[in-house]
């Protein structure tokens, strides 16, 4: 069984979690019990940047004409002085003839566990239900995938066939709703015969480079057995390295070190920024450690340009950019993260806005200030809760402010989405004068007969809605069918980005 989907998914989750995640109060997750009928089970030790961070378990059970393939990963990482627990589970059920029956995914990196269940209907369509903390939402029906894809058992068989035929590369598609609500392409290149040192033994293996289209071309080095099973994976994304190595259950569940992965992502400019919170305009040059170019979007109050080979970003408080008709439609679609149709969200709108007939810009600013006050516990104890959760708990950090503001704006008829990037902090997590990863909100407000995006940061108090130390890396409507939208651009920059302040007023 290949681990590529859940391995790359976990990296994606880390990319989302590093800037703003925080630990929950839940007890440490325990591995799911293995069935006595399991025909295959493999345990892996997981390291992040050379430190033990957790474990992974892969199991395959064949019974009653069905094959159930399960992958579960549990990680603990440090965010400054606190620990964060991340858990991802993927369960695929297929017939022994490799007809898909169902897929279940579970992710625990927010305040409450989130689950997605997919049933494959006889007509090829997908029936999808989503739940949070056991509360099951309505079942949605999606069209059948437009392209063929392989079940987990077929992936292993396919790779075995390539190895036996002496092939050098192959392409295939898989289905995992944690990555996308549809097939995603994986490529395998190389298939170089080698040996691998596993627990003091030399084991024959095939070294291959695998690449995930769903994660923007992120590549891993995998070591496969002749049966197509993953023995070890090595993945570098930005400045973070993920290594998974097969081992015994006892060693996999052994003591971990909880590597620190937040402070190391901070970007420190050459000089402190005076008056950061009152800044109105700024220009920054962006680069990566290896000198490769950095490209960020021109959106809202940000303009990207190149000059003499340099990547430059101009930021202007109050600046706007045109919102297209497609933008407006997509930024009014409800999702699990931004469900503006929730009664709890709707109930807050009348409390938040001054007058339903007031201009949209005034309503948006009033709602922004309301969210800042409403999230009364500015806590790092919540990791990426949905807007509906925040409406109930009134607790969270920047992500909770961002999604609640987006939901309230949508409930008031104002298209909204979230923006992810960096913001300058005089002091944060024991460090001083750094750019840290951050999330805020963008609203599409009426402008010149159309609509224009403008930035709103609900973590700011009073009349200050934004400042010029925000640098946008990506934007997202956080849709259910593309959960990584808007974050892929940020992943390669984590731990490698350099920021030079060219000017600031």
């Amino acid at each position: 069984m290949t681990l590529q989907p859940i391995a790359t998914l976990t990296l994606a989750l880390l990319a989302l979690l590093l800037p703003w995640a925080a630990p929950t109060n839940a007890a440490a997750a325990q591995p799911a019990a293995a069935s006595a009928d399991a025909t295959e089970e493999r345990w892996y030790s997981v390291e992040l940047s050379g430190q033990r961070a957790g474990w992974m378990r892969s199991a395959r059970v064949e019974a009653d004409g069905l094959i159930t393939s399960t992958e579960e990963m549990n990680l603990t990482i440090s965010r400054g002085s606190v620990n964060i627990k991340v858990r991802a589970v993927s369960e695929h059920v297929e017939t022994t003839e490799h007809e898909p029956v169902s897929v279940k995914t579970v992710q625990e990196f927010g305040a409450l566990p989130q689950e997605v269940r997919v049933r494959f209907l006889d007509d090829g369509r997908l029936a999808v239900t989503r739940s949070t903390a056991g509360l099951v939402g309505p079942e949605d029906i999606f069209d059948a995938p437009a392209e063929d894809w392989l079940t987990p058992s077929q992936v292993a068989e396919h790779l075995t066939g390539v190895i036996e035929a002496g092939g050098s590369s192959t392409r295939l598609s898989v289905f995992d709703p944690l990555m996308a609500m549809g097939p995603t392409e994986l490529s395998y290149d190389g298939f170089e015969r080698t040996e691998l040192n596993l627990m003091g033994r030399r084991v024959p293996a095939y070294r291959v480079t695998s690449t995930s289209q769903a994660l923007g071309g992120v590549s891993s080095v995998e070591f496969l057995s002749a049966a197509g099973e993953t023995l070890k994976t090595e993945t570098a994304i930005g400045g973070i390295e993920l290594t998974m190595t097969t081992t015994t259950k006892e060693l996999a569940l052994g003591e971990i070190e909880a590597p620190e992965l937040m402070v190391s992502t901070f970007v420190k400019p050459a000089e402190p920024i005076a008056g950061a919170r009152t800044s109105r305009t700024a220009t920054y040059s962006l680069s990566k450690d290896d000198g490769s170019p950095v490209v960020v979007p021109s959106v809202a109050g940000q303009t990207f340009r190149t000059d003499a080979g340099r990547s430059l970003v101009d930021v202007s408080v109050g600046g706007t950019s045109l919102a297209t008709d497609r933008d407006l439609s997509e930024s009014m679609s409800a999702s699990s993260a931004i469900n503006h149709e929730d009664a709890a969200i709707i109930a807050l709108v009348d409390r938040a806005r001054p007058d339903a007939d007031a201009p949209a810009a005034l309503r948006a600013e009033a709602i922004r200030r309301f969210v800042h006050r409403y999230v009364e516990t500015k806590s790092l104890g919540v990791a990426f809760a949905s807007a509906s959760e925040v409406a109930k708990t009134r607790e969270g950090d920047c992500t909770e402010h961002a999604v609640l503001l987006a939901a309230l704006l949508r409930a008031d008829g104002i298209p909204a989405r979230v923006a992810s990037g960096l913001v300058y902090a005089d002091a944060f997590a024991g460090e001083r004068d750094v750019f840290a990863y951050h999330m805020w909100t963008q609203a599409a407000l009426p402008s010149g007969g159309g609509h224009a995006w403008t930035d709103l940061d609900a973590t700011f108090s009073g009349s200050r809605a934004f400042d010029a130390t925000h640098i946008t890396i990506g934007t997202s409507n956080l849709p259910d069918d593309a959960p990584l939208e808007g974050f892929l651009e940020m992943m390669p920059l984590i731990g490698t980005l350099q920021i030079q302040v060219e000017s600031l007023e």
Side-chain angles (χ1 to χ4, degrees):
M1 177 185 306
T2 178
L3 308 181
Q4 173 70 15
I6 200 166
T8 50
L9 164 69
T10 303
L11 277 173
L13 292 179
L14 287 171
L16 270 64
L17 288 169
L18 286 175
W20 39 68
T24 65
N25 293 322
Q30 297 298 317
S35 167
D37 298 325
T39 57
E40 299 176 19
E41 183 177 62
R42 192 178 291 274
W43 289 84
Y44 299 83
S45 173
V46 182
E47 294 183 357
L48 285 166
S49 297
Q51 290 183 260
R52 281 263 296 129
W55 54 265
M56 171 140 183
R57 171 181 171 270
S58 171
R60 181 181 184 274
V61 177
E62 184 172 340
D64 302 323
L66 297 176
I67 302 172
T68 301
S69 302
T70 304
E71 295 177 351
E72 177 181 8
M73 178 177 283
N74 282 257
L75 300 179
T76 302
I77 60 176
S78 172
R79 184 183 191 270
S81 61
V82 296
N83 288 341
I84 307 161
K85 296 187 183 298
V86 181
R87 179 172 180 256
V89 180
S90 179
E91 178 186 275
H92 290 247
V93 180
E94 59 189 285
T95 69
T96 51
E97 288 76 34
H98 304 310
E99 291 295 325
V101 176
S102 65
V103 178
K104 180 180 75 172
T105 64
V106 180
Q107 48 187 328
E108 297 180 16
F109 61 93
L112 300 172
Q114 298 181 11
E115 182 176 298
V116 178
R117 290 180 179 266
V118 180
R119 294 188 300 115
F120 296 90
L121 305 180
D122 291 340
D123 60 6
R125 293 185 300 167
L126 311 179
V128 181
T129 55
R130 295 179 173 84
S131 62
T132 300
L135 299 177
V136 182
E139 187 173 67
D140 297 319
I141 305 298
F142 291 84
D143 291 336
E147 59 185 281
D148 294 333
W149 53 277
L150 302 184
T151 64
S153 294
Q154 287 178 306
V155 171
E157 291 179 3
H158 179 85
L159 293 177
T160 300
V162 174
I163 290 172
E164 290 177 346
S168 61
S169 65
T170 187
R171 303 286 185 275
L172 56 88
S173 292
V174 297
F175 179 89
D176 193 325
L178 276 175
M179 298 171 69
M181 194 54 67
T184 58
E185 182 179 287
L186 303 176
S187 65
Y188 292 83
D189 299 287
F191 289 95
E192 174 189 353
R193 193 164 185 170
T194 185
E195 284 190 342
L196 191 63
N197 189 341
L198 293 177
M199 293 179 286
R201 295 173 49 239
R202 300 299 296 179
V203 177
Y206 291 85
R207 185 184 187 277
V208 60
T209 299
S210 59
T211 304
S212 168
Q213 184 187 59
L215 295 181
V218 172
S219 294
S220 301
V221 174
E222 292 197 50
F223 295 87
L224 305 177
S225 71
E229 296 179 323
T230 302
L231 302 175
K232 183 177 182 179
T233 67
E234 299 172 343
T235 309
I237 181 167
I240 300 171
E241 295 181 355
L242 168 68
T243 302
M244 296 194 301
T245 308
T246 187
T247 186
T248 64
K249 176 180 178 180
E250 291 71 25
L251 291 176
L253 297 177
E255 186 177 352
I256 62 174
E257 301 177 56
E260 203 293 315
L261 294 179
M262 185 194 71
V263 173
S264 61
T265 70
F266 292 168
V267 182
K268 196 173 185 67
E271 299 291 339
I273 297 177
R277 295 289 78 88
T278 57
S279 59
R280 301 289 299 177
T281 63
T283 296
Y284 306 98
S285 62
L286 309 180
S287 61
K288 295 177 68 174
D289 287 343
D290 61 4
S292 57
V294 175
V295 178
V296 297
S298 292
V299 63
Q302 173 172 296
T303 301
F304 173 76
R305 57 190 172 92
T306 58
D307 182 16
R310 295 194 306 160
S311 298
L312 298 177
V313 177
D314 301 313
V315 181
S316 176
V317 173
T320 62
S321 65
L322 177 67
T324 66
D325 290 342
R326 181 176 179 178
D327 287 340
L328 299 178
S329 174
E330 293 179 347
S331 57
M332 284 297 291
S333 297
S335 68
S336 299
I338 308 177
N339 184 11
H340 61 282
E341 298 172 349
D342 185 344
I345 298 294
I346 295 172
L348 290 179
V349 173
D350 286 336
R351 295 173 54 186
R353 64 188 175 195
D355 186 335
D357 296 325
L362 292 180
R363 302 200 316 271
E365 173 57 14
I367 294 171
R368 185 197 67 80
R369 298 189 195 192
F370 172 84
V371 168
H372 180 82
R373 298 191 303 270
Y374 185 80
V375 183
E376 57 185 357
T377 304
K378 312 297 184 183
S379 171
L380 295 178
V382 179
F384 220 154
S386 68
S388 297
E389 292 176 64
V390 185
K392 297 178 176 65
T393 65
R394 304 186 65 174
E395 179 180 4
D397 56 14
C398 65
T399 51
E400 284 67 49
H401 287 76
V403 296
L404 181 58
L405 176 54
L408 290 178
L409 290 170
R410 290 183 184 184
D412 190 41
I414 300 173
R417 63 190 183 189
V418 299
S420 56
L422 300 101
V423 69
Y424 182 81
D426 296 321
F428 182 53
E431 298 293 314
R432 296 194 60 83
D433 306 316
V434 295
F435 282 92
Y437 285 91
H438 188 54
M439 181 181 281
W440 61 95
T441 311
Q442 292 182 343
L445 301 176
S447 175
H451 287 76
W453 292 112
T454 189
D455 294 295
L456 299 169
D457 192 336
T459 66
F460 284 11
S461 62
S463 60
R464 187 187 306 115
F466 204 65
D467 69 30
T469 71
H470 291 68
I471 300 175
T472 305
I473 303 298
T475 62
S476 177
N477 293 301
L478 299 180
D480 289 328
D481 60 349
L484 301 181
E485 177 190 89
F487 297 104
L488 296 181
E489 300 89 347
M490 187 167 62
M491 291 165 58
L493 300 180
I494 292 177
T496 69
L497 181 64
Q498 300 293 316
I499 301 174
Q500 177 66 41
V501 182
E502 300 292 331
S503 65
L504 185 138
E505 296 182 2

